[in-house]
Amino acid sequence: MKKTLITTTALATFAVASVLPLHAEEAGEKKTSAGAELAKTERVESGTYRGTAHKVDPTEEEIYFKTEDGKLIELYLKDDTKITKGDQEAEFKALEEGQKLEVRVEKDGDKLKPLQVTILE
């Protein structure tokens, strides 16, 4: 009887230990797949691009911008990046996901320097 109890307890422990990593892997896959999309950013040439704010990160003052032709660009806004809405200057907090934007960037080696972000709507 004691032997069966130990076997049952060991089996239950094994079953729980086997299931927990599966859930952790599944959660990790979801997190990785969301991060993987943002990891697929592209470098573009200097110029002006129209598109949509795909993700806005106020803690990093960073935006992910999706161009009209589907390229995803990661931009870290600097103090000298000009942000406008209409004819007026705006602050970073005016940027929201889903907004139509026009961005002017300058390629500096393998980085993009955002010169101006215009909120179109």
Side-chain angles (χ1 to χ4, degrees):
M1 184 104 173
K2 198 172 190 182
K3 199 176 200 182
T4 305
L5 179 61
I6 292 171
T7 305
T8 305
T9 304
L11 183 60
T13 303
F14 176 76
V16 170
S18 297
V19 172
L20 288 177
L22 290 177
H23 291 297
E25 287 175 22
E26 288 172 9
E29 285 177 14
K30 290 177 187 173
K31 185 177 181 184
T32 302
S33 63
E37 178 186 348
L38 295 180
K40 296 179 183 177
T41 58
E42 299 184 49
R43 299 288 182 236
V44 295
E45 296 300 316
S46 297
T48 302
Y49 298 89
R50 284 183 173 242
T52 307
H54 184 70
K55 182 177 188 248
V56 177
D57 183 352
T59 58
E60 297 290 328
E61 290 202 2
E62 167 188 35
I63 62 171
Y64 287 87
F65 172 76
K66 191 168 256 187
T67 64
E68 289 177 332
D69 63 351
K71 293 179 179 152
L72 187 62
I73 303 171
E74 179 180 22
L75 299 171
Y76 287 95
L77 279 57
K78 308 290 184 196
D79 290 336
D80 60 344
T81 304
K82 186 175 181 181
I83 302 173
T84 58
K85 184 173 184 177
D87 293 336
Q88 298 187 349
E89 286 195 34
E91 294 182 19
F92 185 90
K93 64 184 177 184
L95 295 168
E96 299 174 2
E97 292 176 15
Q99 284 177 320
K100 298 292 182 192
L101 303 175
E102 182 176 88
V103 298
R104 187 166 48 100
V105 296
E106 182 178 89
K107 189 173 181 181
D108 183 18
D110 64 342
K111 296 183 181 183
L112 287 175
K113 180 180 179 185
L115 302 174
Q116 182 166 351
V117 177
T118 304
I119 301 168
L120 301 174
E121 49 178 53

